Amino acid sequence: MTESDSAAESPRPRRRRKEARPGEIIDAGLQEFAENGFAATRLEDVAKRAGVVKGTIYRYFSSKEELFEAALSSRITPFFDDVAGLVAAYPGSSEDLVRTALPRIYKALFEDGLHVLMRIIITEGGRFPAIAEQYHRRVISRGQEVLTALVRRGVESGEFRRSALTELPIVIVAPAVMTIVWKMTFDRFEPIEARRFLAAHVDMVLEGLLARDDKTEK
Amino acid sequence: MTESDSAAESPRPRRRRKEARPGEIIDAGLQEFAENGFAATRLEDVAKRAGVVKGTIYRYFSSKEELFEAALSSRITPFFDDVAGLVAAYPGSSEDLVRTALPRIYKALFEDGLHVLMRIIITEGGRFPAIAEQYHRRVISRGQEVLTALVRRGVESGEFRRSALTELPIVIVAPAVMTIVWKMTFDRFEPIEARRFLAAHVDMVLEGLLARDDKTEK
DNA sequence: CCTGTTAATGACCAGGAAGTCATTAACAGG
DNA sequence: CCTGTTAATGACTTCCTGGTCATTAACAGG
């Protein structure tokens, strides 16, 4: 236990990786911000998670806020493009299209990591208008366009009935939003099964959209 | 501009109001917490808003966190009781019941101040399990019971079709949750009209729940 | 009107975290 | 192998805010 025999006290191996650092820091930041929120996140923790030292962060980002914005911007891939393509090219009925599109949104959200992003937007969006604005423009508006296209398709083919819902198609994805909120607050007390949730979601949406025709079996 | 002629420098009038203070501080705290979140809220600001000085807060609450919890607990009135009563006593059809109940939920949320509470739960619930738990037990569970009762009523009368949605009735209120989230993030860029939103909501829910009977008019 | 109790004040302290910077040592290029 | 450039370090500074406490002055009760 003498201090001289300690193999500890490793002075920390340095490594210069100009290319990789920013990305690693952003990843770490995203995680921390999602867990703690902006104000409660310590840059020290972000640094630890990224395997660097706090000072290093400032070589790439000039402030905590800049890191925050960079982290969020970096991930705003218009993920609705996937669904947009689907809607544009789908050969089958509009009902089947909905049954295909909604699971895909859930997949993007929960299997790929998109819900982490959404969580941050939900919790911090109100306090960072610039970020919320960007997100609104690049994700939400886009999503509304896609939903509008989807709804129009169904209405024009006669499958969907025109209604207040078809005038405000964003409401269609509400259950997905609720799922995100649930996961971040109540899931530990009452875990939700994504599968059942999705089923109920599809059910609600579809029976609300479908014009009745063959379903007259009373 | 001499300093002696300044009628300013009022030394702040003291007032002893043991009864009223806690409530005023809680109100102020609720506002600040809703606007800034727990971590970013300064007790100094809460004090200013309440018309007192920071030290005064500590006469009634022993820490920032205790104030936070007290503020939230104080408002967890089981507001679903209103709707519960409605469901239990409603004389008309289940469709009409839904058309009556949903607007009432929106009213509680947006006209009375309940959405402020919800906003805090949504943004901070993940970081304060004790609070989320309380809320889950006293509001969410209660809400689910009410929705379950409502759905069962409709199913038993034959008005509603049994489905994945009737197995998971919480999904029914998802659009209201989305509205809260929207108001706190995107409303400044694209304000939503509660009326239209509610209409679309009712529309989606109802057509999803209603078994088809008379609606065979194609 | 006096006076003891205690609500309220505001100056203060301590700790924590954002941000800085002089120093160090990887690495590339000669 | 040498050496200049600069990525990376970590000790340091500064500021902010939660929390404390001695002092003050409302008010109630005698």
Side-chain angles (χ1 to χ4, degrees), chain B residues 2 27 35 37 43 48 54 59 63 65 73-74 84 89 101 105 110 121 129 144 150 206 210:
Chain B
T2 59
D27 283 350
E35 274 173 34
L43 248 17
K48 191 178 300 175
K54 190 174 58 171
R59 180 156 303 280
S63 72
E65 191 159 336
S73 304
S74 75
I105 291 175
F110 301 108
I121 298 295
Q144 280 177 297
L150 180 148
L206 226 36
L210 279 179

Side-chain angles (χ1 to χ4, degrees), chain B residues 96-210:
Chain B
D96 286 344
L97 175 51
V98 169
R99 291 191 189 279
T100 308
L102 284 186
R104 242 191 247 200
I105 291 175
Y106 276 68
K107 181 178 180 306
L109 238 31
F110 301 108
E111 292 177 34
D112 320 346
L114 195 67
H115 70 286
V116 174
L117 257 285
M118 293 298 301
R119 177 182 314 180
I120 299 178
I121 298 295
I122 290 172
T123 55
E124 305 291 339
R127 258 156 268 145
F128 293 88
I131 287 174
E133 197 273 335
Q134 209 184 136
Y135 219 78
H136 175 258
R137 191 157 32 78
R138 290 164 67 179
V139 178
I140 308 299
S141 295
R142 192 94 186 74
Q144 280 177 297
E145 286 168 21
V146 173
L147 289 169
T148 301
L150 180 148
V151 159
R152 174 167 24 216
R153 196 193 118 118
V155 167
E156 284 175 358
S157 78
E159 263 190 288
F160 294 163
R161 160 192 67 101
R162 209 180 280 281
S163 75
L165 180 58
T166 57
E167 295 303 308
L168 206 61
I170 187 73
V171 173
I172 289 173
V173 296
V177 174
M178 187 197 213
T179 306
I180 295 167
V181 170
W182 189 282
K183 279 223 169 282
M184 51 195 253
T185 50
F186 305 125
D187 204 59
R188 75 187 81 186
F189 311 115
E190 188 182 346
I192 64 181
E193 302 162 51
R195 207 169 300 278
R196 283 183 62 207
F197 216 87
L198 173 58
H201 184 175
V202 171
D203 207 65
M204 178 162 79
V205 167
L206 226 36
E207 301 300 313
L209 280 169
L210 279 179

Side-chain angles (χ1 to χ4, degrees), chain A residues 7 18 41 47 64-65 74 87 91 94 101-102 118 121 144 159 161 177 181 186-187 197 199 202 204 208-209:
Chain A
K18 194 185 171 185
T41 289
K64 185 183 181 182
E65 191 160 336
S74 75
V87 171
S94 286
L102 284 186
M118 293 299 300
I121 298 295
Q144 281 177 298
E159 262 190 288
R161 159 192 67 100
V177 174
V181 171
F186 305 125
D187 204 60
F197 217 87
V202 171
M204 177 162 78
L209 280 169

Side-chain angles (χ1 to χ4, degrees), chain A residues 8-116:
Chain A
E9 299 310 310
S10 51
R12 172 185 280 264
R14 283 193 192 186
R15 208 61 58 83
R16 314 179 106 205
R17 317 209 337 274
K18 194 185 171 185
E19 319 301 322
R21 286 305 189 216
E24 293 170 359
I25 293 169
I26 279 177
D27 283 350
L30 230 27
Q31 293 289 352
E32 292 288 329
F33 287 133
E35 275 173 34
N36 316 114
F38 178 80
T41 289
R42 284 178 294 256
L43 248 18
E44 201 88 55
D45 292 342
V46 174
K48 191 178 300 174
R49 186 170 221 143
V52 297
V53 136
K54 190 175 60 172
T56 303
I57 294 178
Y58 285 88
R59 181 157 301 280
Y60 300 101
F61 307 95
S62 66
S63 72
K64 185 183 181 182
E65 191 160 336
E66 192 182 295
L67 168 62
F68 184 65
E69 294 181 1
L72 286 175
S73 304
S74 75
R75 300 303 177 81
I76 303 196
T77 62
F79 88 106
F80 275 109
D81 276 358
D82 172 44
V83 183
L86 189 71
V87 171
Y90 200 77
S93 73
S94 286
E95 172 174 346
D96 287 344
L97 176 52
V98 170
R99 291 191 189 279
T100 309
L102 284 186
R104 240 189 249 200
I105 290 175
Y106 276 68
K107 181 178 179 307
L109 237 32
F110 301 108
E111 291 178 34
D112 320 345
L114 194 68
H115 72 284
V116 173

Side-chain angles (χ1 to χ4, degrees), chain A residues 107-160:
Chain A
K107 181 178 179 307
L109 237 32
F110 301 108
E111 291 178 34
D112 320 345
L114 194 68
H115 72 284
V116 173
L117 258 284
M118 293 299 300
R119 177 182 315 180
I120 299 177
I121 298 295
I122 290 172
T123 55
E124 305 292 340
R127 258 156 268 146
F128 293 89
I131 287 174
E133 197 274 335
Q134 210 184 136
Y135 220 77
H136 175 258
R137 192 157 32 77
R138 290 164 66 178
V139 178
I140 309 299
S141 294
R142 192 94 185 76
Q144 281 177 298
E145 286 168 22
V146 173
L147 289 170
T148 301
L150 181 147
V151 159
R152 173 166 28 215
R153 195 194 119 118
V155 167
E156 283 174 1
S157 77
E159 262 190 288
F160 294 162

Side-chain angles (χ1 to χ4, degrees), chain B residues 12 15-17 21 53 56 59-60:
Chain B
R12 172 185 279 265
R15 209 62 58 81
R16 315 180 105 205
R17 303 187 311 123
R21 287 303 190 216
V53 138
T56 305
R59 180 156 303 280
Y60 300 101

